[in-house]
């Protein structure tokens, strides 16, 4: 009787558990792109880690309550967090149950902001995660419905959290070089990296049945995965890029939704915030997707080019993702040469006026597009295009003028220009002539003379016609300037006469007369 009474009394918690600091703290996570991921997961043996008092849940509600009890919220926080047997120590019939137990164990999220807290439990979880990665990699049977549910639950518990990013683009706007800045690294990466590796191998595993897994890797899961692309940590974004691409390839049913969700991120970035850390990675995924588009291109894809990719040239932070964007644009033109006119006119629409470094990027991209442009499409847009190039030739920023002149070094572009010289030379000749006469930069001056010589050797008569017209226009401009000055002088004289007669008259203000009255 006495034993029964004593057994009902609450047991005193251990000193170790009572001495620990508790309270959940969600760290702000940032991601990294690593080289060989497997080797980075951590050295050391996958120990016999387990939780003997952690039963396999039978329902989602049961799962939630069990995990909650293990989170750092109370005095008994990690008292149940103990070692479990390794997979090699249990019979094959028990491995799936043990796998689910280990998944539940790894649903516990630790506070990494304090490196001295829960060291034993963190190491247990890390080793357990490594065992899970190995298990998924070497699994021989299809994952059951129950296992898929637990896998997605564990991944969600560890990866899906709120981010408080400081977008890289802010540094670009302030004129700082992000490449020289130290990226923000998440202290929880030792666990996060292994969870990402687990997710990657789970998606890539032939034992993952897409028809069954799509119930858990659903639209909500994909949206949360895409939200993580705003992480500051480039390692995390690199993993996300690979995982999303594998997901796109495996779950064909989700492909339209993934494209639409990425579009929405771009719309929000272009027209509202101009702040996001993962635009380059998303564009890199899209570059691969566009490369696989079937021909003829669907109207949906052409709309994506016009409404999303071309407007992505607008933000000030274009430098952060221009290489990937340029690749996507060029892929479209290579797929359908008729889109060249649309792309070039789109570039002209968003052409920077006061940002010289951005203008150089536009010229680089323009060369790539023109290199795959066919004569009929080139002829449709050559007039507005070379009006813009003429302004670039006269730019006082030598890199802009130099980059524009380098277009003539491309054989394909030079051939297009030569074939249409009767239209193009009259447009750019004044710019060439002004550069040849008085551009301050010697390199630009030399390149200009080379281009002039190309046209002169090719068609001397046309060159002389353009020169004559330029000289006539110059003389006309001088005459117009003389007339303008004379007209203003005559008006001022009349105004002075009327003013002496006390008549109200409007007199144009002279620069030296400011502040003379009073």
């Amino acid at each position: 009787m006495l034993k029964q009474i004593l057994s009902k009394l609450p047991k005193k918690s251990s000193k170790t558990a009572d001495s620990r600091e508790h309270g959940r703290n969600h760290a702000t996570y940032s991601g990294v792109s690593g080289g060989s991921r497997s080797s980075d997961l951590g050295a050391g043996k996958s120990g016999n880690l387990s939780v003997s008092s952690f039963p396999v849940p039978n329902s989602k509600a049961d799962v939630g309550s069990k995990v909650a009890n293990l989170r750092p919220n109370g005095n008994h926080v990690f008292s149940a967090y103990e070692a479990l047997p390794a997979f090699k120590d249990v019979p094959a019939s028990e491995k799936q149950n043990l796998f689910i137990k280990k998944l539940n164990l790894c649903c516990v999220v630790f506070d990494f902001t304090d490196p001295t807290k829960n060291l034993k439990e963190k190491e247990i979880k890390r080793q357990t995660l490594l065992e899970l990665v190995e298990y998924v990699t070497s699994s021989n049977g299809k994952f059951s419905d129950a296992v898929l549910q637990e896998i997605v639950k564990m991944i969600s518990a560890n990866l899906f959290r709120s981010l408080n990013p400081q977008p890289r683009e802010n540094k670009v706007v302030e004129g700082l070089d992000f490449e020289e800045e130290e990226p923000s690294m998440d202290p929880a990466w030792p666990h996060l990296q292994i969870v990402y590796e687990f997710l990657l191998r789970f998606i890539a595993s032939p034992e993952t049945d897409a028809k069954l897994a799509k119930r858990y890797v659903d639209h909500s899961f994909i949206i949360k995965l895409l939200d993580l692309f705003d992480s500051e940590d480039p390692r995390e974004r690199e993993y996300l890029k690979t995982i999303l691409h594998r997901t796109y390839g495996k779950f064909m049913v989700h492909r339209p939704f993934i494209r639409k969700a990425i579009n929405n991120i771009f719309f929000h970035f272009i027209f509202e915030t101009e702040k996001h850390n993962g635009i380059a990675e998303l564009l890199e995924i899209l570059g691969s997707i566009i490369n696989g588009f079937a021909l003829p291109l669907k109207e949906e894809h052409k709309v994506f080019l016009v409404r999303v990719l071309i407007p992505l040239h607008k933000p000030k932070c274009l430098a952060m993702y221009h290489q990937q964007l340029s690749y996507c644009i060029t892929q479209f033109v290579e797929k359908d040469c008729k889109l060249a006119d649309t792309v070039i006119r789109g570039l002209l629409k968003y052409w920077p006026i006061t940002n010289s470094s951005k203008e150089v990027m536009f010229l680089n991209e323009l060369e790539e597009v023109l290199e795959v442009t066919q004569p009929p499409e080139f002829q449709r847009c050559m007039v507005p295009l070379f009006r813009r190039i003429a302004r670039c030739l006269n730019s006082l920023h030598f890199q802009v003028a130099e980059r524009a002149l380098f277009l003539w070094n491309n054989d394909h572009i030079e051939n297009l220009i030569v074939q249409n010289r009767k239209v193009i030379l009259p447009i750019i000749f004044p710019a060439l002539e002004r550069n040849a006469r008085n551009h301050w930069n010697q390199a630009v001056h030399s390149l200009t003379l080379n281009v002039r010589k190309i046209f002169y050797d090719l068609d001397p008569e046309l060159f002389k016609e353009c020169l004559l017209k330029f000289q006539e226009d110059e003389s006309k401009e001088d005459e117009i300037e003389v007339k303008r000055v004379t007209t203003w002088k005559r008006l001022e004289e009349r105004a002075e006469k009327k003013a002496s007669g006390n008549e109200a008259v409007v007199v144009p203000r002279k620069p030296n007369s400011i502040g003379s009255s009073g």
Side-chain angles (χ1 to χ4, degrees):
M1 183 70 175
L2 182 60
K3 288 182 179 179
Q4 291 177 353
I5 293 171
L6 289 174
S7 65
K8 293 181 180 178
L9 293 174
K11 293 182 180 179
K12 189 175 181 180
S13 60
S14 65
K15 290 182 180 179
T16 309
D18 288 335
S19 64
R20 291 193 184 105
E21 295 179 19
H22 307 303
R24 187 175 181 188
N25 187 351
H26 288 286
T28 302
Y29 297 97
S30 319
V32 190
S33 71
S36 87
R37 298 191 179 97
S38 303
S39 60
D40 291 342
L41 292 180
K45 219 173 174 182
S46 295
N48 298 334
L49 311 168
S50 150
V51 180
S52 57
S53 60
F54 201 69
V56 179
N58 295 322
S59 67
K60 283 188 178 179
D62 190 23
V63 169
S65 63
K66 298 296 182 187
V67 173
N69 290 336
L70 286 177
R71 291 187 184 278
N73 289 330
N75 290 333
H76 301 278
V77 105
F78 296 112
S79 58
Y81 216 90
E82 298 173 359
L84 272 175
F87 286 110
K88 64 181 180 180
D89 297 333
V90 298
S93 59
E94 291 297 319
K95 284 187 177 181
Q96 181 170 308
N97 287 336
L98 181 60
F99 181 57
I100 293 176
K101 286 182 181 181
K102 289 179 183 287
L103 286 169
N104 275 292
L105 175 63
C106 292
C107 287
V108 182
V109 178
F110 294 99
D111 175 14
F112 278 83
T113 56
D114 185 349
T116 63
K117 287 175 67 175
N118 314 122
L119 296 178
K120 177 187 172 185
E121 290 80 5
K122 287 175 183 175
E123 180 59 20
I124 288 174
K125 179 178 176 181
R126 190 183 74 84
Q127 293 288 350
T128 306
L129 285 168
L130 288 170
E131 287 188 59
L132 292 175
V133 171
E134 187 179 347
Y135 182 87
V136 168
T137 305
S138 59
S139 181
N140 292 326
K142 295 287 183 185
F143 296 119
S144 67
D145 194 82
V147 170
L148 289 170
Q149 182 177 344
E150 296 306 318
I151 287 174
V152 171
K153 179 177 72 68
M154 187 277 286
I155 291 166
S156 301
N158 283 277
L159 299 185
F160 299 155
R161 75 270 184 204
S162 59
L163 298 170
N164 297 309
Q166 298 175 356
R168 300 182 288 167
E169 289 77 3
N170 288 350
K171 299 176 182 178
V172 177
V173 173
E174 292 165 9
L176 299 176
D177 185 0
F178 176 74
E179 298 300 327
E180 296 178 3
E181 295 290 318
E182 285 294 325
S184 177
M185 303 300 184
D186 194 311
W189 185 247
H191 284 187
L192 281 174
Q193 181 185 16
I194 310 175
V195 176
Y196 273 119
E197 187 68 27
F198 175 85
L199 174 55
L200 177 59
R201 298 197 185 193
F202 164 68
I203 295 293
S205 173
E207 308 305 331
T208 303
D209 186 352
K211 291 181 180 178
L212 195 60
K214 70 181 181 182
R215 296 171 55 189
Y216 305 102
V217 181
D218 55 7
H219 289 183
S220 174
F221 184 92
I222 290 167
I223 287 292
K224 290 173 184 174
L225 200 65
L226 285 167
D227 288 342
L228 295 175
F229 273 87
D230 204 14
S231 167
E232 279 190 79
D233 193 332
R235 296 170 299 185
E236 184 166 16
R237 295 196 304 272
E238 185 69 19
Y239 261 110
L240 286 163
K241 179 183 72 177
T242 307
I243 288 165
L244 185 63
H245 193 218
R246 293 292 182 89
T247 304
Y248 186 90
K250 185 149 196 162
F251 296 88
M252 294 184 68
V253 68
H254 290 331
R255 288 183 180 183
F257 179 80
I258 291 173
R259 292 197 301 267
K260 184 178 179 182
I262 293 175
N263 285 2
N264 290 338
I265 292 174
F266 288 153
F267 285 140
H268 185 68
F269 168 71
I270 296 165
F271 300 110
E272 294 183 32
T273 65
E274 290 197 8
K275 295 176 182 178
H276 197 283
N277 289 311
I279 300 298
E281 287 78 9
L282 290 170
L283 283 169
E284 196 168 337
I285 295 169
L286 283 169
S288 181
I289 292 172
I290 293 165
N291 192 33
F293 281 165
L295 295 176
L297 289 173
K298 294 180 181 178
E299 190 62 28
E300 168 202 349
H301 302 327
K302 295 178 183 179
V303 169
F304 166 69
L305 169 67
V306 173
R307 295 187 181 175
V308 180
L309 291 185
I310 291 176
L312 272 171
H313 291 85
K314 178 188 172 192
K316 295 177 182 177
C317 52
L318 175 67
M320 301 310 305
Y321 56 85
H322 181 255
Q323 183 180 353
Q324 293 82 358
L325 176 60
S326 180
Y327 177 77
C328 290
I329 293 283
T330 309
Q331 285 289 305
F332 265 104
V333 181
E334 287 181 353
K335 289 274 181 184
D336 186 351
C337 62
K338 292 181 180 178
L339 291 172
D341 176 49
T342 302
V343 167
I344 291 171
R345 289 181 185 275
L347 287 174
L348 295 176
K349 178 181 178 181
Y350 292 103
W351 200 277
I353 304 301
T354 59
N355 189 332
S356 298
S357 60
K358 193 173 176 182
E359 200 165 2
V360 171
M361 284 188 281
F362 271 58
L363 287 164
N364 288 334
E365 183 175 352
L366 180 63
E367 179 172 0
E368 291 182 16
V369 173
L370 287 174
E371 203 163 359
V372 292
T373 301
Q374 300 304 311
E377 283 68 41
F378 178 79
Q379 290 168 1
R380 290 193 190 101
C381 61
M382 62 184 177
V383 172
L385 171 62
F386 278 88
R387 283 175 182 161
R388 171 54 60 189
I389 290 176
R391 295 190 191 101
C392 293
L393 293 174
N394 281 150
S395 173
L396 292 177
H397 195 294
F398 80 95
Q399 288 180 335
V400 175
E402 187 177 57
R403 189 63 191 83
L405 288 161
F406 280 157
L407 291 173
W408 274 264
N409 289 346
N410 186 297
D411 292 338
H412 179 72
I413 297 174
E414 186 180 355
N415 287 336
L416 291 173
I417 294 171
V418 166
Q419 291 169 17
N420 300 278
R421 61 185 179 276
K422 293 189 182 300
V423 175
I424 293 172
L425 185 58
I427 296 173
I428 64 168
F429 189 87
L432 292 173
E433 196 64 23
R434 292 187 192 102
N435 274 8
R437 289 184 184 182
N438 52 22
H439 199 284
W440 66 272
N441 184 269
Q442 186 58 44
V444 172
H445 186 265
S446 299
L447 287 168
T448 301
L449 293 177
N450 291 340
V451 172
R452 285 176 83 252
K453 188 176 186 305
I454 289 172
F455 281 112
Y456 182 80
D457 294 343
L458 186 69
D459 196 336
E461 290 185 9
L462 178 62
F463 186 91
K464 289 176 183 177
E465 286 177 15
C466 292
L467 179 60
L468 184 61
K469 187 174 186 306
F470 174 75
Q471 292 170 345
E472 289 175 356
D473 290 341
E474 257 192 334
S475 61
K476 286 179 181 177
E477 285 176 8
D478 292 340
E479 290 175 9
I480 291 170
E481 178 63 19
V482 170
K483 286 181 180 178
R484 189 183 68 82
V485 171
T486 305
T487 301
W488 277 108
K489 189 173 182 180
R490 189 167 62 251
L491 286 172
E492 288 174 5
E493 289 173 355
R494 288 186 181 181
E496 287 175 0
K497 288 180 181 179
K498 291 188 177 181
S500 61
N502 295 325
E503 295 181 24
V505 347
V506 178
V507 179
R509 178 179 289 180
K510 297 180 182 178
N512 59 1
S513 65
I514 297 175
S516 60
S517 60

